[in-house]
Amino acid sequence: MIPAEIIEQAKKHIEESSQKKDTDYFCITRDIFQARLDSYIFKSQKYIESALIGEIGNNTFDHNWKFAENKMRGAYFNLAFQEKYIVLADFGRGIKESLSSVINLSSDLEAVETGFTKQISGRLPEQRGNGLKFVAETVKSKKWKLYFQTGNGYCSIEDGNISFSQADDYYTGCLAILDFSEELS
């Protein structure tokens, strides 16, 4: 699993960057996010990894019309957190609120589990909703690691297994931490 101290350090860095209005990490618009992603693709030639980053990051712009007050808008995008992790985050409305227009969800935990396991989108009538499933299946098959929190629900993927649980804290919006390190067999 992504270590708990890395999750806490990432949350702290995101909050500090938001308060400083740090555009080194926040992509205020989709075109800035896409330019940074394109640069990553060009430099790394990591196409599958880039597709996962793009799916998670683009959700910030596809699903958020409302951001937490006094917080930075757009997507937090850090390609080298602690020199190993890719961190994406936003202070938007989160999965539960996004999906609530199409399905009744009782908790953030149910929302994150639904987002990662079912074909569903908060953007009806568009036929979408496979993005987070694609992320989950790819991370599982490659034996990479993912921590994804929205509200107090989270998804963790490691060693090809996915689990869902409730966090002790609440995260406004969505937070994703990816570790693309190859697992030794």
Side-chain angles (χ1 to χ4, degrees):
M1 184 170 151
I2 304 286
E5 62 270 10
I6 294 298
I7 296 167
E8 292 311 310
Q9 289 172 10
K11 288 177 181 178
K12 183 178 178 185
H13 191 265
I14 293 162
E15 182 66 31
E16 289 171 357
S17 294
S18 174
Q19 290 173 357
K20 293 177 189 173
K21 307 292 187 207
D22 188 347
T23 56
D24 287 342
Y25 294 108
F26 275 90
C27 304
I28 307 303
T29 60
R30 181 189 300 272
D31 61 326
I32 295 170
F33 174 76
Q34 190 61 52
R36 290 182 183 170
L37 181 58
D38 289 347
S39 177
Y40 172 77
I41 295 167
F42 179 76
K43 290 176 186 173
S44 72
Q45 301 293 297
K46 294 181 177 181
Y47 300 104
I48 296 172
E49 294 90 330
S50 300
L52 302 182
I53 294 166
E55 181 57 45
I56 294 169
N58 282 324
N59 282 346
T60 295
F61 302 102
D62 291 343
H63 296 281
N64 287 315
W65 299 277
K66 167 177 122 177
F67 288 88
E69 288 186 36
N70 302 318
K71 299 286 185 179
M72 196 79 168
R73 293 184 171 278
Y76 174 92
F77 185 24
N78 188 332
L79 286 164
F81 186 77
Q82 300 293 325
E83 298 180 13
K84 178 178 180 178
Y85 303 96
I86 294 176
V87 179
L88 297 135
D90 66 56
F91 295 113
R93 55 193 199 146
I95 293 177
K96 183 179 176 200
E97 189 174 334
S98 180
L99 292 179
S100 68
S101 63
V102 296
I103 187 173
N104 186 22
L105 298 164
S106 61
S107 67
D108 292 314
L109 178 57
E110 183 182 10
V112 76
E113 189 168 356
T114 299
F116 276 92
T117 61
K118 298 193 177 358
Q119 182 180 352
I120 188 167
S121 175
R123 292 181 57 175
L124 278 179
E126 296 176 20
Q127 296 298 314
R128 302 169 53 105
N130 278 319
L132 291 178
K133 278 178 53 181
F134 163 72
V135 169
E137 292 305 314
T138 304
V139 170
K140 285 176 7 184
S141 72
K142 296 288 187 180
K143 304 240 190 277
W144 291 330
K145 293 182 179 95
L146 168 72
Y147 176 86
F148 187 101
Q149 184 175 343
T150 180
N152 65 0
Y154 73 86
C155 169
S156 179
I157 303 173
E158 106 175 281
D159 297 326
N161 298 306
I162 189 168
S163 63
F164 301 94
S165 192
Q166 197 161 334
D168 293 332
D169 63 339
Y170 187 90
Y171 189 85
T172 300
C174 295
L175 163 69
I177 303 173
L178 290 152
D179 179 353
F180 293 130
S181 301
E182 300 284 329
E183 290 299 316
L184 300 175
S185 298

